[in-house]
Amino acid sequence: MEPLTRKEEEVLRILFKLERAFVKDIIAEMPGKKKPAHSTVATFIKNLKEKGYVDFEDFGSTHRYFPAIPKEQFFQKDLK
């Protein structure tokens, strides 16, 4: 699988923690007082989807995202 940027990895780790989340839920979990813009996080998620790490389910005009790979598979790369 394609490598991730630091921010993409941060978003994916949050998704593993939440299991299923909307963009606003991911933003709420991000550390610090100054949160990134909705469009910025949506771009990270789009990149993760294109790389095969994230999938989504439709809820009308919005999407709820979830990891497309098992948590163990992702964290296994840290052990190599």
Side-chain angles (χ1 to χ4, degrees):
M1 296 185 104
E2 261 187 83
L4 301 180
T5 66
R6 188 177 56 80
K7 286 295 188 180
E8 289 169 349
E9 185 171 329
E10 180 183 347
V11 168
L12 185 57
R13 287 177 183 272
I14 291 169
L15 264 179
F16 280 130
K17 177 182 169 189
L18 298 176
E19 296 180 1
R20 294 182 182 275
F22 297 98
V23 173
K24 66 182 177 83
D25 301 324
I26 294 168
I27 293 170
E29 287 291 316
M30 294 182 127
K33 288 184 179 181
K34 185 165 169 52
K35 306 290 184 179
H38 186 280
S39 59
T40 302
V41 176
T43 299
F44 294 144
I45 293 170
K46 180 180 142 252
N47 293 342
L48 288 165
K49 171 114 177 64
E50 289 173 358
K51 292 177 180 182
Y53 289 95
V54 169
D55 208 348
F56 67 91
E57 50 194 353
D58 282 318
F59 284 88
S61 62
T62 190
H63 303 298
R64 184 166 67 175
Y65 300 94
F66 56 90
I69 63 168
K71 186 188 316 188
E72 295 77 23
Q73 181 182 343
F74 175 73
F75 288 109
Q76 205 171 36
K77 76 172 181 59
D78 291 340
L79 301 176
K80 292 181 182 178

